[in-house]
Amino acid sequence: MLSKLFSDSRLFFKLGPDEKELLATLSALVEAFPNSSLERFYTHILEFEEGFQILGPILSQKEAFERYKDSLRSFWIKFFLEPFSEDVFQYAFKIGTVHAEKGVSPPLFLKALFRFWSLFREHIWNRIEDQALQKSLIQLAVKLLFYLVSVVLAAYFKRLDQDLEEAYAEIARLNRIYVLLREINLLIFEEKVSSEKLFKEACKILVRDGGFALAWIGLIEPKTKEVKPLAAAGKTDYLNDFYASIDPAIAEGRGPCGEALRTGRPVVVQDTEEDSRFIPWRERARQYGLRSAVALPLVLGNEVKGVLLLYHPKPQYFTSKEAQLLLEISRDLSLGWAHIEKSRELERVLFTDELTGLGNERYLIDTLEHEFEVAKKQKQRLALVRLDIDEFSLLTHSLGRAAGDEVLKEVGQRLVRLVGSRGTVVRSGADEFSCSYLFENNSEIGSFMGRIKNALSLPVYTAESVIRVSASMGLAFFPEDASSPRGLLEAASVALRRAKKQAPGGVAFYSEKEAREVLSRWRLTEELERACEQKEFVLFFQPRVDLFNRRISSFEALLRWRHPQKGIISPGKFISVLEDTGLITKVGRWVVKESALFLKKLLPKHSEISISFNVSMKQFQDNHLLKVLEETLREVSIPPEWLEVEITESLFFEAGAQASEILKNINNLGLKIAIDDFGTGYSSFAYLKKIPAESLKIDYSFVKGIPEDREDASVVMAIVAMARNLGKKIVAEGVERREQLAFLMGLGVDEVQGYYFARPMPGDQALSFLESFNPDRFFR
């Protein structure tokens, strides 16, 4: 910009040849300008207040004033000799800049210049007698002075523009800080529970709305004097392996973080590359592009216990005004922190049981208000279990109060682990606990009660005794049994009184209907647990027939429960309970092993027969599924390609992103994959392409109506067409009649399975069926 201004001014104020010859005369006149005239010039300037403010300090220092006068005379000499040289231009531009920086207004500058001109013109008249020359010199001097004024004013206004831009930028930045103050204060008003959440959200706001590259809050570790980051946002990788201290004896303690914590004052680092206090983190800051930082103390209980650090990519970023406003943010955060801690302490006193550290009944009432809203919003039910430890007074009488306290603390912790995030556990009486629990169906509450029973049955170890306890339980439900927290608590209390009238470990419900449903499922859960221990589960096998060679191609392994009193029970009666209780994982592993053993029994005579087995959602989500498959293949020593895993369509969606990876790993083991109950879920080319399945099994619900039902027939034909396009083998389930078989053969279905050929049967019968299988009996 300056070079363009310089060239433009030379063109505009161009001198003619005659004028150039007069320059030396003007310069000589300045050199001969009497000191008395200069003194009159300075006296005139001092008459103005602004002039006095500028020259006053110089006049008081004689040597400095003499240097100032010599410098000014030298400038005028050179100015009139070489007015359009770059040196003169630069000096004139500097005069304008300095005047602007010193606060000299343009009118004052022009008054001073006019005073100088009147004195210099008088000097020309006195020294030059030739009137024509006088006139030429004055005209030239006026022209040059106009040039000087243009340069000085250009510099002056450029400096003002720069100041104005900086002022606008400063105002914008300060306005941004005011916005941050408002956002932080709104956050403080809303967040009254967790100081950690307050700090995390504050850091997010400072980065998002404040434009900082990194914001983090650290607290002092009293024992080590280390500053531990608690919350951060932005370039948080900067804090990996970060170390700072408040110990001034080490370099990491003399940085902005440690200094702010020790002094309680804000510390600004304007350039991380230059500030010696930042040496321990200089390379780290360089890596993440952080050039300036500010550390702001956080106060709790009149002590500095934390620090807020803000970083920006630009050096010299934090002005004093901005630092002061940012200090207001740290003060407000300190107030919010103090309020939360005081509230927590008050809450601890009012709502906490001192012995167990759990909430008390007052806390439960308060929490149930929130859990009622959650239950309504998520359309769930809320159970409240009141639990009384049986014969607790006898226990404390015989073993002492200390042993009783240990039992109470241990029971409380076990209940907390069981409930997790699904509800609340409190100590609601001397030997009573209450648990709220959100659930979706009766199976969940049944299995939850079973887990409570199992947890309490484990011994409690004290220093002197091994103690076993049981508890009576009363249950009530929202919204069926009560519409308010106190109402629900009273309903559970009524149920508990009923339970205590039974034998120790009794269970009672406020609602009789609920009691029948839940207790029935609970008893079934207990029986299934016993079935696992007593090995009452068996596998039945149903053949699949290849329609092209009319031979048995495989068997599907199907789980059955051989109940000691009720006989064989089909999986529809108990599979859902196995899944709800998690027992399905244990049973599923057994199914895999038994299927492999049955296959090994077939292989010597029937080397082309495969065995398939179903995998439930719980098994699929079990991290040990692949390990079980690998161990089974290794231990039983069978070819993996003769084992087939059957999954449902819905499983692929419910398992989420991990489904594709798990199926890929199963396929990599060499096992085949079939999609069971196809057509009942979310059939689409998009997801079928992602599943490395070899077969699609058409669900029996579509097969049972063919060929008479046109809708079922259309669905089956569509599935066959889709499978053909994808290169999948097609298996039809539920074939019971010859007409169904003929229709499916006509469509080109590969394999069929159903009662038409055989019902599921025990392993020895399946072997006999395989060896005696006569296709003419079924295909004539």
Side-chain angles (χ1 to χ4, degrees):
M1 178 181 173
L2 286 181
S3 58
K4 186 176 186 306
L5 184 61
F6 174 60
S7 59
D8 288 348
S9 63
R10 293 186 67 180
L11 289 173
F12 186 78
F13 289 98
K14 194 171 183 180
L15 298 180
D18 294 340
E19 291 177 316
K20 290 180 180 179
E21 291 181 2
L22 295 175
L23 289 176
T25 305
L26 276 176
S27 180
L29 285 168
V30 173
E31 195 168 358
F33 196 55
N35 288 333
S36 58
S37 297
L38 285 176
E39 293 296 335
R40 288 165 61 194
F41 168 69
Y42 298 132
T43 301
H44 177 73
I45 292 177
L46 291 172
E47 292 174 359
F48 303 108
E49 184 178 348
E50 293 176 76
F52 183 80
Q53 289 176 354
I54 297 168
L55 286 182
I58 302 176
L59 286 171
S60 63
Q61 303 175 42
K62 187 176 180 180
E63 292 183 2
F65 186 53
E66 291 300 322
R67 285 196 302 272
Y68 172 75
K69 290 192 291 184
D70 290 343
S71 173
L72 193 59
R73 186 188 292 273
S74 298
F75 167 72
W76 285 115
I77 292 170
K78 189 162 187 178
F79 173 73
F80 284 118
L81 185 63
E82 299 175 335
F84 302 119
S85 69
E86 189 170 353
D87 287 348
V88 167
F89 175 84
Q90 292 285 356
Y91 194 92
F93 201 87
K94 183 179 179 182
I95 290 173
T97 303
V98 170
H99 277 69
E101 290 174 352
K102 296 290 186 180
V104 178
S105 63
L108 178 62
F109 172 76
L110 292 175
K111 285 179 183 178
L113 187 63
F114 291 154
R115 180 58 178 163
F116 174 81
W117 166 239
S118 65
L119 293 171
F120 187 58
R121 184 181 55 189
E122 182 181 318
H123 177 59
I124 293 173
W125 286 337
N126 293 336
R127 295 296 297 268
I128 304 298
E129 295 180 356
D130 185 337
Q131 291 186 353
L133 181 57
Q134 262 185 18
K135 184 178 179 181
S136 298
L137 288 170
I138 289 172
Q139 287 177 340
L140 177 58
V142 169
K143 184 176 183 178
L144 295 178
L145 288 175
F146 270 114
Y147 164 67
L148 176 63
V149 168
S150 69
V151 174
V152 170
L153 290 181
Y156 181 87
F157 287 114
K158 181 177 183 299
R159 179 62 190 185
L160 287 184
D161 285 343
Q162 184 179 335
D163 289 345
L164 193 58
E165 287 179 8
E166 291 174 356
Y168 279 140
E170 179 75 1
I171 290 169
R173 285 168 60 179
L174 295 180
N175 282 339
R176 190 180 69 250
I177 303 300
Y178 283 121
V179 170
L180 288 176
L181 268 168
R182 184 192 66 204
E183 293 297 319
I184 295 292
N185 281 310
L186 285 173
L187 172 66
I188 291 168
F189 179 77
E190 293 170 358
E191 182 52 56
K192 299 176 181 178
V193 177
S194 168
S195 54
E196 184 173 352
K197 185 178 178 183
L198 170 68
F199 290 155
K200 286 180 179 178
E201 292 301 317
C203 288
K204 289 179 183 178
I205 290 171
L206 287 163
V207 170
R208 184 191 67 217
D209 299 334
F212 299 108
L214 170 64
W216 67 274
I217 290 173
L219 303 184
I220 301 172
E221 184 68 38
K223 292 183 180 178
T224 63
K225 297 184 178 180
E226 186 178 351
V227 183
K228 289 281 190 180
L230 177 67
K235 297 184 177 183
T236 54
D237 288 349
Y238 174 87
L239 297 173
N240 292 342
D241 302 320
F242 181 87
Y243 179 77
S245 171
I246 60 169
D247 185 357
I250 59 175
E252 289 83 355
R254 295 191 293 270
C257 188
E259 187 177 334
L261 284 165
R262 284 194 308 274
T263 64
R265 294 191 298 270
V267 178
V268 177
V269 173
Q270 292 292 14
D271 195 337
T272 58
E273 292 286 346
E274 301 294 335
D275 197 314
S276 61
R277 295 172 297 181
F278 213 80
I279 289 174
W281 309 279
R282 182 165 294 162
E283 184 57 40
R284 185 186 295 257
R286 189 179 296 143
Q287 180 183 351
Y288 290 95
L290 307 176
R291 288 295 300 273
S292 55
V294 61
L296 304 156
L298 296 173
V299 178
L300 182 66
N302 296 322
E303 290 184 38
V304 179
K305 292 189 175 181
V307 63
L308 167 63
L309 275 296
L310 303 171
Y311 301 76
H312 199 275
K314 293 181 181 178
Q316 310 297 325
Y317 181 76
F318 295 97
T319 65
S320 59
K321 289 182 180 179
E322 185 167 12
Q324 284 302 310
L325 284 175
L326 290 172
L327 182 60
E328 290 299 315
I329 288 178
S330 72
R331 287 172 178 165
D332 288 350
L333 282 173
S334 296
L335 290 173
W337 186 15
H339 176 71
I340 288 172
E341 294 303 313
K342 286 178 181 177
S343 298
R344 289 175 64 179
E345 179 61 23
L346 182 61
E347 183 180 293
R348 190 190 68 76
V349 173
L350 293 177
F351 297 99
T352 306
D353 172 58
E354 188 174 350
L355 175 66
T356 62
L358 299 173
N360 54 24
E361 195 164 289
R362 187 185 289 110
Y363 176 74
L364 178 63
I365 294 293
D366 191 57
T367 305
L368 284 175
E369 291 278 5
H370 170 70
E371 291 177 346
F372 276 20
E373 293 303 316
V374 173
K376 290 176 188 175
K377 187 175 181 180
Q378 297 183 359
K379 296 181 179 179
Q380 294 181 324
R381 299 174 72 201
L382 181 71
L384 182 63
V385 182
R386 291 210 73 165
L387 177 152
D388 183 273
I389 299 175
D390 296 319
E391 300 178 341
F392 185 75
S393 58
L394 180 61
L395 184 153
T396 55
H397 180 73
S398 58
L399 297 177
R401 182 176 174 180
D405 288 349
E406 288 300 315
V407 169
L408 291 171
K409 287 189 282 188
E410 179 60 25
V411 168
Q413 288 306 305
R414 291 180 187 181
L415 292 174
V416 167
R417 288 193 290 271
L418 284 173
V419 170
S421 61
R422 299 284 294 276
T424 304
V425 178
V426 304
R427 184 186 176 198
S428 49
D431 54 0
E432 287 186 12
F433 293 87
S434 295
C435 309
S436 61
Y437 191 77
L438 281 164
F439 65 101
E440 294 178 357
N441 55 61
N442 287 347
S443 65
E444 285 191 75
I445 191 63
S447 62
F448 175 63
M449 290 168 59
R451 294 200 301 276
I452 291 178
K453 178 184 173 184
N454 292 337
L456 295 182
S457 68
L458 298 173
V460 177
Y461 297 95
T462 68
E464 299 177 353
S465 308
V466 177
I467 305 170
R468 292 184 181 275
V469 297
S470 64
S472 301
M473 289 185 279
L475 289 89
F477 299 88
F478 169 80
E480 294 88 346
D481 298 334
S483 58
S484 68
R486 291 195 178 278
L488 188 63
L489 191 61
E490 182 57 35
S493 299
V494 170
L496 178 60
R497 287 195 289 272
R498 289 180 190 165
K500 291 171 73 173
K501 291 178 182 179
Q502 304 171 15
V507 177
F509 292 77
Y510 186 74
S511 164
E512 288 299 325
K513 178 179 179 294
E514 200 76 54
R516 287 194 298 273
E517 293 178 0
V518 175
L519 286 175
S520 173
R521 196 162 181 102
W522 189 14
R523 292 191 185 101
L524 178 57
T525 300
E526 289 182 319
E527 287 190 273
L528 286 170
E529 289 173 348
R530 189 206 65 233
C532 286
E533 294 173 2
Q534 300 298 322
K535 299 181 180 178
E536 295 175 3
F537 293 109
V538 295
L539 285 184
F540 276 31
F541 299 91
Q542 187 175 33
R544 271 169 36 187
V545 178
D546 189 312
L547 295 183
F548 292 96
N549 58 34
R550 299 186 177 184
R551 294 178 181 174
I552 295 174
S553 58
S554 65
F555 284 96
E556 180 180 1
L558 299 163
L559 184 65
R560 296 290 186 270
W561 178 11
R562 184 177 282 126
H563 194 280
Q565 285 82 40
K566 302 174 184 176
I568 298 297
I569 300 176
S570 64
K573 302 283 182 66
F574 62 86
I575 281 290
S576 62
V577 179
L578 287 179
E579 291 182 335
D580 290 338
T581 59
L583 289 171
I584 191 66
T585 300
K586 182 178 181 180
V587 175
R589 294 175 186 178
W590 176 84
V591 169
V592 173
K593 185 77 172 286
E594 289 299 309
S595 299
L597 289 171
F598 183 70
L599 176 63
K600 189 168 186 177
K601 192 181 292 186
L602 294 177
L603 284 176
K605 290 185 179 180
H606 307 281
S607 59
E608 296 184 357
I609 300 292
S610 62
I611 298 294
S612 65
F613 52 86
N614 287 280
V615 175
S616 73
M617 170 59 67
K618 292 281 187 182
Q619 289 174 267
F620 200 73
Q621 292 175 327
D622 182 6
N623 293 330
H624 300 292
L625 176 60
L626 286 173
K627 186 179 179 182
V628 169
L629 293 172
E630 290 173 345
E631 288 178 353
T632 300
L633 291 173
R634 185 172 62 253
E635 291 174 10
V636 181
S637 186
I638 53 172
E641 61 269 20
W642 299 115
L643 279 178
E644 185 175 56
V645 176
E646 294 191 13
I647 64 167
T648 60
E649 295 176 83
S650 58
L651 179 147
F652 184 75
F653 287 90
E654 292 172 21
Q658 63 174 347
S660 295
E661 189 64 27
I662 294 174
L663 290 172
K664 181 181 177 182
N665 290 332
I666 290 174
N667 196 242
N668 289 340
L669 287 177
L671 279 74
K672 296 176 183 176
I673 296 170
I675 300 175
D676 196 15
D677 301 337
F678 189 79
T680 61
Y682 307 90
S683 311
S684 73
F685 280 106
Y687 90 84
L688 284 174
K689 289 193 293 183
K690 298 178 182 178
I691 304 178
E694 183 178 277
S695 307
L696 302 182
K697 298 186 73 176
I698 303 173
D699 188 69
Y700 76 92
S701 62
F702 301 116
V703 174
K704 68 180 180 181
I706 62 172
E708 297 84 5
D709 190 303
R710 295 178 63 182
E711 187 174 330
D712 284 347
S714 298
V715 171
V716 171
M717 287 189 288
I719 292 173
V720 170
M722 178 186 286
R724 285 278 174 261
N725 286 328
L726 292 168
K728 309 289 185 185
K729 183 190 291 184
I730 310 155
V731 181
E733 297 180 300
V735 177
E736 298 180 356
R737 295 179 286 118
R738 183 182 293 274
E739 293 82 6
Q740 294 170 331
L741 178 64
F743 181 79
L744 294 168
M745 289 178 67
L747 288 179
V749 169
D750 298 295
E751 296 180 0
V752 292
Q753 175 182 345
Y755 288 178
Y756 179 71
F757 294 97
R759 291 175 177 271
M761 51 196 144
D764 54 348
Q765 291 182 30
L767 276 172
S768 299
F769 182 83
L770 175 62
E771 292 176 356
S772 62
F773 180 73
N774 182 2
D776 293 339
R777 176 185 166 192
F778 304 100
F779 290 95
R780 282 188 301 182

